Amino acid sequence: MDFVPDIPRWRQVATVIRSRIENGTYTPRTRVPSVQQIVEEFGIATATAQKVNVGLKKEGLVYTEPGMGSFVSPDAPALIKKARADEADAG
């Protein structure tokens, strides 16, 4: 992935994961990539990959099951749709 210099890398990777949720690559209640998988796929540091998960959790798009991993929230598609509508209204 080619990163844009002025945008934090974790945000850019979170955008990719978010778009995969939106397009159905990751469906509700299915596992999203682990921190280690994100590190390997995007070539970023572990701490940066952890920020991706934290950011997606704060948005309500993923949740973590201890010992199991992180999964797409059942509400994720609706949350993304609402965020897109809010962006359109603001723009």
Side-chain angles (χ1 to χ4, degrees):
M1 175 171 175
D2 292 328
F3 291 103
V4 177
D6 296 340
I7 301 171
R9 287 184 177 198
W10 76 266
R11 287 191 187 274
Q12 294 178 65
V13 173
T15 297
V16 171
I17 304 294
R18 192 178 306 107
S19 68
R20 290 178 183 173
I21 293 169
E22 186 174 24
N23 73 22
T25 301
Y26 306 133
T27 57
R29 295 185 178 88
T30 60
R31 191 176 307 225
V32 293
S34 67
V35 168
Q36 187 58 39
Q37 289 169 322
I38 291 171
V39 166
E40 291 170 9
E41 180 178 351
F42 295 98
I44 58 177
T46 300
T48 304
Q50 289 170 337
K51 284 184 181 182
V52 173
N53 272 350
V54 169
L56 293 172
K57 283 180 198 172
K58 284 183 179 179
E59 291 179 48
L61 300 181
V62 300
Y63 64 95
T64 299
E65 290 286 336
M68 299 289 293
S70 294
F71 299 84
V72 177
S73 167
D75 300 329
L79 291 170
I80 292 171
K81 187 179 280 189
K82 182 183 180 319
R84 294 262 186 239
D86 291 348
E87 287 174 11
D89 290 344

